[in-house]
Amino acid sequence: MTQALLKLDNLGVRLGHGKGAIRPVDGVSLEIHKGETYSLLGESGCGKSMTALSILRLLPQPAGQITQGHVYLDGEDLTLLPESDMRRIRGRRISMIFQEPMTSLNPVLTVGDQIGEVLQQHHAMKGRAAQDRVLELLDAVGIPDTKRRYREYPHQLSGGMKQRVMISIALAGEPDLLIADEPTTALDVTIQAQVLELLQKLQQDTGMAILLITHDLGIVAGMADRVAVMYAGQLVEEASRDRFFGSASHPYSRKLFESLPDVHKREHALDTIPGTVPALNRDFDGCRFEDRCDVAWDYCRSHVPGWNSSADGQHARCHRLDESIPAPRSAVTAKQVETISSSHESRGDHLLRVSDLKVHFPIHKGVFKRIAGYVYAVDGVSLAIPQGCTQALVGESGCGKTTVGKAILQLLKPTDGSVQFEDIELTKLKGEALRKKRSDFQFIFQDPFSSMNPRMMVGDIVEEGMIAQGIGKTRQQRRARVDELFEQVGLSPEQTQRYPHEFSGGQRQRICIARTLAVDPRLVICDEPTSALDVSVQAQILNLLKELQNTLGLSYLFITHNLSVVSYLADRVAVMYLGRIVEEGPVADVLERPLHPYTEALLSAVPVIDTASKREIIRLEGDIPSPATPPAGCHFHPRCPRAMDACQDSYPPETASGDHTVRCFLHQ
Amino acid sequence: MIKPVILWTDMLIFLLTAVVVMFIFYARSKPHIRAPWQRVFTGKVASASVVVLLAFVLVGLLDSLHFRLPLASNGDNDEIHYAGEVMSALDTLVGPLRTQVEKTYSAPFAAHLFARETIELADGSQIRDYPRLLYGARSLGDAVDGKTRDILLRSLLAFAEMLLASALILLLIAYWLARRHERPVRVLIQDILQDKLTIPWRTVLFMLSLLLLLLLLAINLAGAYHVLGTDKVGQDVFYLTLKSIRTGLVIGTLTTLIMLPFAIFMGIVAGYARGWIDDVVQYIYTTLNSIPGVLLIAAAILMLQVFIANHSDSFETTVERADIRLLFLCIILGITSWTGLCRLLRGESLKLREAEYIQAAVSFGVAHRKIITRHILPNVMHVVLITVVLDFSGLVLAEAVLSYVGVGVDPTMNSWGNMINGARLEMAREPVVWWSLLAAFLFMFILVLAANLFSDAVRDAFDPRTRDR
């Protein structure tokens, strides 16, 4: 085998000093060859990004230090190079693109200047030649109208455009290795598909290697040649893509697959990984995954597993692969699959009926704040949610789905339309009357970190809603209820006397759910409740939501961009584009036989794990238009691959077939 | 019987002290408040400056206990008449410093006046010489040559006393800590001396010793000499600077106390309510901000002077009159300085009202009043605290500048600004009378430096960016 382009040899990183010092990377060895895509997979906090940063020696200073091991680039040890020589490596030999394209570009420099800076640094290119090269690079990453973009500032670009610019900056030095740290996590699926395709194309053209860091198994399946799974600072498994997706050998990898929601698992609870990632400031005597593993036995607790290999260059850090260690076969028991019913018969009576809801935000301009126009965030949305059912609302960011949720709850004043909860018109309620009614419908927020007041104890947070709604007469009664709720969401009542920062993301989301349940709601609007969480934690929350629905008969409006969650959880689904619902119907119908071209494209853009069924990705050109100036006619026609002349003239009316409705001229 | 005099500023100062003490007890039970304060006190510089600030505060508080002494009654009726002069606890403590008044200027540690005068000798002849001071170096009599030796001896004595007192304090601290941590005293003495504890007790002890040394030096020397000289009318400059501490502290703290309710209320309401309320509040502070502060202050103070002159019978003593002027200065300074904090708080609550936990509270039907007091106020308190501590030193300096310009505190009131103003004219004199200026400068500098270092530490500890998540 040829010499590896990049070789990490037992790399170790320490953050902080003294007792509290953690080792986010603890003995990582890997090799990346020329022209290959090597994917580093893992949940948050497992050390993926730290590994990437230590390759470039960009660890947070002064806390971060490489304590052991070596990084070889073409045989040259980067850990020994002086800082001035490292500058020659960064951007030239190894480039990096970051997760958040919004913050990784300098807002006061033009796009051209920022790319030109790299050219000047590494190729001593200036003036005319540099400008030509920048235009060439912008062209290569698929940015239209390069001459104009050259002089624009980052805020004039959309998220996808910014990530393209970031990629072109990374490419400007013509690197041998591109490190992409969650390059598409902040982007929408259709944009994500564009960026991933671009990366693949660039790799074919330039022959560079890519180290792709991600938590998304779907992206790995579509992009990687080889896959490594990281857990608690160590690699736990490494294999070729086909081998990994065919037969993952580490229990953790297998658990990751099993905790992914999808349509086939609808009838039972998702497999979860109990517990949390261990703290990395201590020494380990045994396997790091031991306490969360369902096939572990005594031996795992006392012996550190070696890097055992099986066929085809597949390695895993697990005792079960070492044939010299007799593993008790009995440990592998047939899993008890908990069944949870997911089919909810609509009982005819609708709990919530939204008709022609509109939310327009005025745009103020000038000294006197004259209204210059409107942002049509929600522009005529109609929905009906039956008792005890889950209605999903999907769409890309900026399509107005969160605004719909907030407008239903009257957190935002709707411009027009009606929201009927049972037979009460919510838009007409005011002040005290609305305040009293609020216990019936509740909201679960996306980010469990910012949805709790950091200066209140979680018990008080849960109790607050009860006080406001006058539930529970005495403090003792309320406290007893809080304890009960904590148990219901899988936390212990002793934890009520703690502050939010003492909990992990999943636990916080449980507390938020407990807080919601405290006022006995009948409708809960969940706004991407799992998008800030890891897959295994997401599975726990989804299980909890499903269980609560079955025991309490709750109705959910589930706002998300994650279609696999929809297929697992929802009864009906509505697809939103630019403030309007373009398609609505039973979940199986819509996801299996989408009618609207946008739904088709959205579905095809979601990365899937099933590598056997290679689908054609329907590529959508460009970005979502601004809701302040929606295109004439059908909002989707500028990006629609099947647009007709009629689409430019008027917005298509609703066409129903059974209980599946669509707004598209194709289905008139 | 003495008659206690409670001035307006005294009342407010003790109110403020009570609030601070109450806050300390409240904070002890709240881990999220306690944690950043603990971080403040783990820094050496911060701990040292706290010791210095506490020393200043102690002097200021002693100087705020005012009373009037009874005059000797002439026996024929029971009515007690009180002296027109208002004394403070500090005055009684420093005793002779207040009463030992020379004729005019004398340099620090001098035995003679600063200027030559015509002296009539016992035999009737007249010579022109530096007259002997009435009180300065009095214990030496005419043997002025032994002055250096006398000063040295007294200093040595003070030093020895300091060592003794420091050892005592070390023992006390160690004993107290030993009881808290339930470990032997000897071990804790070692820990303190090797600086192994979270609070840098060794630094605290060092600062305390330094202050003790200064105090003991003052006790040993100030009675016998004018350690910082005397001013134009022969008053001891050291005494004047000590008296000025209270003025500086009052200006620095009461001004903030007065402006805080405005700034907090207006800022939060503007940010939370938005709409026309926001417009009104913004309009008010933009207008106020565009008026030159000094002019506003000058106008207000002149108006007050007229008022006092017209209602002179409603003030019993000159001290009360000066006190009203001081309070008024605080108020007018407060009115001109709340805008900055208000603007910060408005921005902060604009941001917070969109925070998801506020939205969650709204969706639970929590009342606006409760949202403001339970959710917004606790989450902007760090901004308030940082601003208050940072503003303090600015206000102390502002007093000096305003008094220098002549629109500051009452001329009869002891303040650093007035001292500097008085010393200004003598700067052109040859040889220069430098000690008044130096003394005022030194005290003000130490106070402001300590306050600034402390505020730096507070800001670092409360800054959300440096806070552990």
Side-chain angles (χ1 to χ4, degrees):
Chain A
M1 207 166 188
T2 53
Q3 196 196 13
L5 173 68
L6 181 84
K7 181 168 186 272
L8 304 189
D9 180 18
N10 197 25
L11 185 72
V13 170
R14 191 180 62 198
L15 279 180
H17 297 281
K19 259 194 192 163
I22 59 165
R23 293 186 295 273
V25 182
D26 200 3
V28 167
S29 304
L30 55 84
E31 287 183 6
I32 299 174
H33 299 279
K34 280 199 171 62
E36 97 175 322
T37 303
Y38 189 95
S39 183
L40 202 52
L41 180 75
E43 296 183 279
S44 55
C46 69
K48 313 183 293 277
S49 294
M50 283 298 156
T51 310
L53 290 174
S54 61
I55 292 172
L56 284 171
R57 297 226 324 250
L58 288 174
L59 288 169
Q61 291 302 322
Q65 265 183 336
I66 296 178
T67 49
Q68 61 172 27
H70 303 276
V71 179
Y72 298 103
L73 180 71
D74 270 342
E76 187 181 16
D77 191 347
L78 298 186
T79 54
L80 301 179
L81 284 184
E83 184 60 27
S84 58
D85 287 351
M86 265 319 281
R87 280 206 290 275
R88 187 168 50 74
I89 304 281
R90 291 181 198 136
R92 175 74 188 87
R93 304 287 311 279
I94 305 176
S95 294
M96 186 153 177
I97 48 181
F98 298 90
Q99 176 172 355
E100 193 56 73
M102 317 298 161
T103 55
S104 39
L105 289 172
N106 185 340
V108 297
L109 290 180
T110 62
V111 166
D113 286 344
Q114 297 192 50
I115 305 174
E117 196 180 10
V118 183
L119 293 174
Q120 191 179 348
Q121 172 75 27
H122 292 297
H123 300 285
M125 273 167 103
K126 272 184 201 165
R128 192 81 222 159
Q131 191 180 342
D132 290 345
R133 176 77 184 120
V134 170
L135 294 176
E136 217 175 288
L137 282 165
L138 286 174
D139 200 42
V141 294
I143 288 179
D145 200 3
T146 48
K147 284 239 169 61
R148 186 163 65 87
R149 296 292 180 196
Y150 182 89
R151 268 183 289 279
E152 286 196 340
Y153 289 90
H155 71 266
Q156 294 168 294
L157 306 177
S158 67
M161 283 290 195
K162 278 185 203 158
Q163 197 60 300
R164 282 166 194 269
V165 170
M166 269 312 290
I167 293 172
S168 72
I169 291 176
L171 288 179
E174 293 160 26
D176 301 323
L177 173 67
L178 179 70
I179 300 175
D181 187 358
E182 305 259 9
T184 56
T185 308
L187 305 175
D188 284 313
V189 267
T190 56
I191 311 294
Q192 164 172 295
Q194 291 173 8
V195 170
L196 291 179
E197 196 184 305
L198 170 69
L199 282 176
Q200 267 172 334
K201 181 178 148 286
L202 291 170
Q203 187 176 29
Q204 277 161 18
D205 295 350
T206 59
M208 66 182 174
I210 296 179
L211 171 58
L212 181 69
I213 294 170
T214 182
H215 67 278
D216 189 332
L217 284 162
I219 294 177
V220 175
M223 297 279 293
D225 297 316
R226 280 195 301 146
V227 184
V229 182
M230 225 175 152
Y231 181 78
Q234 287 186 326
L235 294 189
V236 292
E237 176 155 13
E238 186 184 44
S240 68
R241 175 184 56 184
D242 295 339
R243 185 90 202 147
F244 179 73
F245 287 94
S247 57
S249 53
H250 196 280
Y252 176 65
S253 320
R254 287 206 299 270
K255 279 284 194 184
L256 283 181
F257 285 114
E258 284 160 11
S259 55
L260 277 181
D262 82 53
V263 66
H264 307 300
K265 298 175 187 161
R266 269 181 79 89
E267 294 308 316
H268 44 82
L270 291 171
D271 215 346
T272 60
I273 309 180
T276 49
V277 181
L280 295 176
N281 58 355
R282 60 186 180 100
D283 290 321
F284 293 91
D285 298 327
C287 174
R288 295 178 182 213
F289 189 58
E290 177 267 325
D291 55 341
R292 305 176 72 189
C293 183
D294 53 5
V295 294
W297 76 102
D298 295 346
Y299 190 80
C300 297
R301 195 168 304 141
S302 50
H303 293 79
V304 177
W307 192 226
N308 300 312
S309 55
S310 55
D312 298 337
Q314 184 174 19
H315 303 269
R317 203 176 287 281
C318 181
H319 288 309
R320 291 212 168 254
L321 294 182
D322 191 345
E323 269 139 32
S324 63
I325 301 166
R329 293 296 127 193
S330 59
V332 195
T333 51
K335 270 182 310 208
Q336 288 284 319
V337 176
E338 202 185 327
T339 50
I340 294 186
S341 153
S342 295
S343 304
H344 307 98
E345 284 307 309
S346 143
R347 287 170 220 153
D349 49 340
H350 289 289
L351 183 66
L352 180 83
R353 203 182 273 280
V354 179
S355 47
D356 206 26
L357 184 72
K358 286 181 183 163
V359 183
H360 297 171
F361 298 112
I363 306 169
H364 296 282
K365 265 195 181 152
V367 188
F368 297 105
K369 304 200 174 157
R370 194 168 42 82
I371 294 172
Y374 288 96
V375 175
Y376 302 94
V378 177
D379 199 20
V381 161
S382 302
L383 275 175
I385 305 178
Q387 187 104 35
C389 281
T390 304
Q391 167 84 51
L393 190 59
V394 297
E396 296 178 276
S397 58
C399 73
K401 49 190 196 304
T402 300
T403 313
V404 170
K406 290 192 174 167
I408 291 175
L409 289 194
Q410 308 299 313
L411 290 177
L412 286 170
K413 199 91 207 118
T415 315
D416 196 14
S418 90
V419 179
Q420 277 202 316
F421 187 81
E422 291 185 312
D423 43 3
I424 298 162
E425 177 62 46
L426 294 184
T427 50
K428 300 241 161 53
L429 283 184
K430 279 208 177 77
E432 200 57 28
L434 178 63
R435 204 170 283 160
K436 283 280 161 254
K437 198 74 198 140
R438 281 198 182 282
S439 64
D440 278 345
F441 36 90
Q442 278 302 317
F443 206 83
I444 296 177
F445 291 90
Q446 174 174 10
D447 186 359
F449 294 88
S450 66
S451 57
M452 280 188 279
N453 187 343
R455 290 164 202 276
M456 279 168 76
M457 284 189 289
V458 291
D460 295 336
I461 291 175
V462 175
E463 199 185 341
E464 185 180 32
M466 298 167 73
I467 297 174
Q469 290 296 334
I471 297 171
K473 303 232 160 25
T474 61
R475 189 174 162 78
Q476 277 76 26
Q477 277 178 14
R478 288 196 299 265
R479 280 287 158 187
R481 175 85 178 117
V482 169
D483 290 353
E484 199 181 301
L485 285 165
F486 263 63
E487 272 175 5
Q488 198 168 8
V489 298
L491 296 167
S492 91
E494 286 95 68
Q495 290 168 314
T496 53
Q497 302 294 314
R498 297 208 201 149
Y499 287 89
H501 69 89
E502 295 171 63
F503 295 90
S504 69
Q507 285 175 319
R508 287 187 205 201
Q509 201 59 292
R510 284 166 190 270
I511 296 167
C512 288
I513 293 172
R515 166 172 75 175
T516 310
L517 296 178
V519 294
D520 302 321
R522 301 170 61 199
L523 169 73
V524 178
I525 299 183
C526 310
D527 186 9
E528 311 239 13
T530 59
S531 68
L533 305 174
D534 285 317
V535 207
S536 64
V537 183
Q538 164 175 298
Q540 295 170 11
I541 298 295
L542 292 180
N543 283 344
L544 177 64
L545 287 173
K546 216 164 190 179
E547 191 193 311
L548 290 172
Q549 181 167 45
N550 287 337
T551 51
L552 303 173
L554 298 174
S555 307
Y556 291 135
L557 174 63
F558 205 91
I559 299 168
T560 184
H561 66 271
N562 189 334
L563 288 167
S564 55
V565 171
V566 171
S567 68
Y568 172 71
L569 198 70
D571 299 308
R572 298 182 67 85
V573 58
V575 182
M576 254 187 109
Y577 186 78
L578 220 59
R580 293 185 184 179
I581 290 179
V582 294
E583 184 165 5
E584 203 272 340
V587 70
D589 260 17
V590 175
L591 298 187
E592 298 294 320
R593 290 178 299 281
L595 297 176
H596 199 280
Y598 176 64
T599 318
E600 282 175 14
L602 205 59
L603 283 168
S604 77
V606 177
V608 283
I609 297 172
D610 195 359
T611 45
S613 71
K614 264 286 175 197
R615 301 158 313 162
E616 185 62 32
I617 292 180
I618 302 170
R619 232 186 105 177
L620 292 183
E621 295 298 330
D623 298 303
I624 300 185
S626 158
T629 50
C634 173
H635 291 171
F636 187 57
H637 84 262
R639 298 176 76 196
C640 183
R642 294 157 75 183
M644 303 174 290
D645 289 343
C647 301
Q648 296 179 20
D649 300 330
S650 62
Y651 203 85
E654 206 170 87
T655 325
S657 66
D659 55 354
H660 187 164
T661 55
V662 65
R663 301 187 80 166
C664 181
F665 285 118
L666 287 172
H667 302 282
Q668 281 286 4
Chain B
M1 271 306 289
I2 56 167
K3 180 186 180 187
V5 178
I6 298 174
L7 302 173
W8 276 102
T9 49
D10 293 345
M11 216 143 64
L12 290 170
I13 279 182
F14 286 110
L15 182 74
L16 185 67
T17 320
V19 167
V20 169
V21 170
M22 256 150 52
F23 174 76
I24 290 172
F25 276 99
Y26 174 75
R28 280 163 63 105
S29 63
K30 299 271 169 179
H32 62 85
I33 305 177
R34 203 172 56 198
W37 280 109
Q38 272 170 347
R39 252 197 315 272
V40 171
F41 289 106
T42 50
K44 284 185 178 174
V45 178
S47 302
S49 39
V50 166
V51 173
V52 176
L53 283 178
L54 281 180
F56 273 91
V57 169
L58 187 69
V59 174
L61 285 179
L62 281 176
D63 204 11
S64 299
L65 292 165
H66 287 106
F67 54 84
R68 281 161 76 183
L69 286 174
L71 291 172
S73 77
N74 39 10
D76 44 345
N77 58 7
D78 287 341
E79 201 188 339
I80 306 170
H81 291 276
Y82 290 97
E85 192 182 21
V86 177
M87 302 258 290
S88 76
L90 183 76
D91 292 333
T92 37
L93 275 182
V94 299
L97 276 185
R98 191 172 64 91
T99 47
Q100 294 181 353
V101 178
E102 306 291 343
K103 198 171 166 200
T104 179
Y105 287 117
S106 72
F109 291 108
H112 298 95
L113 277 182
F114 190 60
R116 250 184 246 265
E117 274 180 18
T118 313
I119 305 170
E120 196 168 327
L121 292 176
D123 56 3
S125 62
Q126 286 183 336
I127 55 162
R128 218 175 141 66
D129 198 5
Y130 300 102
R132 185 73 174 84
L133 290 181
L134 295 175
Y135 302 100
R138 186 169 53 168
S139 59
L140 296 174
D142 286 335
V144 182
D145 297 343
K147 197 173 77 176
T148 323
R149 201 173 143 264
D150 187 50
I151 292 171
L152 264 178
L153 272 178
R154 284 172 188 271
S155 309
L156 273 177
L157 182 67
F159 194 73
E161 285 170 351
M162 181 274 286
L163 286 182
L164 209 67
S166 299
L168 203 67
I169 291 173
L170 171 66
L171 269 178
L172 277 176
I173 295 176
Y175 179 69
W176 177 63
L177 286 175
R179 283 191 54 179
R180 265 185 65 177
H181 296 283
E182 288 169 359
R183 287 162 58 198
V185 177
R186 208 164 51 83
V187 177
L188 274 161
I189 291 181
Q190 265 174 19
D191 280 358
I192 291 174
L193 292 180
Q194 287 163 13
D195 224 358
K196 278 185 186 162
L197 300 164
T198 40
I199 295 179
W201 284 111
R202 190 173 63 175
T203 316
V204 173
L205 195 70
F206 180 74
M207 270 329 280
L208 270 176
S209 309
L210 203 67
L211 284 171
L212 266 178
L213 180 65
L214 289 176
L215 177 73
L216 291 165
L217 278 175
I219 290 173
N220 277 305
L221 289 168
Y225 297 92
H226 297 293
V227 284
L228 288 172
T230 54
D231 73 349
K232 191 169 186 174
V233 289
Q235 280 185 302
D236 191 282
V237 173
F238 181 55
Y239 170 70
L240 293 181
T241 36
L242 282 184
K243 291 287 279 183
S244 302
I245 288 176
R246 178 177 181 272
T247 316
L249 289 178
V250 165
I251 295 265
T253 53
L254 287 194
T255 305
T256 355
L257 189 74
I258 286 162
M259 74 160 191
L260 269 188
F262 288 101
I264 293 179
F265 180 75
M266 301 256 247
I268 291 180
V269 165
Y272 182 72
R274 299 195 297 190
W276 65 268
I277 298 177
D278 186 23
D279 288 345
V280 169
V281 172
Q282 276 193 69
Y283 181 78
I284 293 175
Y285 70 59
T286 316
T287 315
L288 212 56
N289 237 11
S290 48
I291 301 171
V294 176
L295 285 189
L296 200 65
I297 292 165
I301 291 294
L302 290 176
M303 265 158 56
L304 183 78
Q305 271 178 332
V306 174
F307 175 82
I308 290 175
N310 291 343
H311 299 78
S312 53
D313 47 335
S314 48
F315 303 101
E316 275 189 45
T317 56
T318 50
V319 172
E320 280 173 39
R321 204 174 308 160
D323 182 69
I324 279 294
R325 183 160 162 172
L326 177 65
L327 182 66
F328 207 72
L329 185 68
C330 287
I331 292 174
I332 194 76
L333 271 174
I335 288 173
T336 51
S337 68
W338 63 276
T339 52
L341 179 60
C342 185
R343 196 188 311 238
L344 274 179
L345 289 180
R346 174 183 166 265
E348 197 70 12
S349 34
L350 265 180
K351 196 180 79 191
L352 278 180
R353 83 183 299 280
E354 298 302 324
E356 288 183 344
Y357 56 86
I358 308 270
Q359 300 257 308
V362 174
S363 77
F364 280 115
V366 179
H368 294 309
R369 183 174 43 85
K370 275 223 161 140
I371 290 179
I372 287 179
T373 50
R374 279 182 73 129
H375 294 288
I376 295 189
L377 192 61
N379 281 297
V380 297
M381 273 325 267
H382 66 282
V383 180
V384 175
L385 191 80
I386 292 167
T387 317
V388 165
V389 183
L390 276 177
D391 274 1
F392 173 79
S393 47
L395 287 166
V396 173
L397 295 177
E399 184 275 324
V401 172
L402 289 176
S403 299
Y404 180 83
V405 177
V407 294
V409 296
D410 196 83
T412 60
M413 184 163 238
N414 298 310
S415 88
W416 291 317
N418 279 341
M419 284 175 71
I420 293 173
N421 193 19
R424 168 176 62 126
L425 298 171
E426 311 301 333
M427 291 303 286
R429 192 172 163 142
E430 182 60 39
V432 176
V433 176
W434 46 268
W435 46 88
S436 295
L437 193 70
L438 184 82
F441 169 75
L442 214 60
F443 271 69
M444 202 156 65
F445 173 74
I446 291 170
L447 177 63
V448 169
L449 182 69
N452 279 347
L453 290 175
F454 180 64
S455 66
D456 256 1
V458 170
R459 192 178 45 196
D460 284 350
F462 281 83
D463 195 336
R465 274 170 300 179
T466 58
R467 190 163 31 178
D468 304 332
R469 283 193 163 263

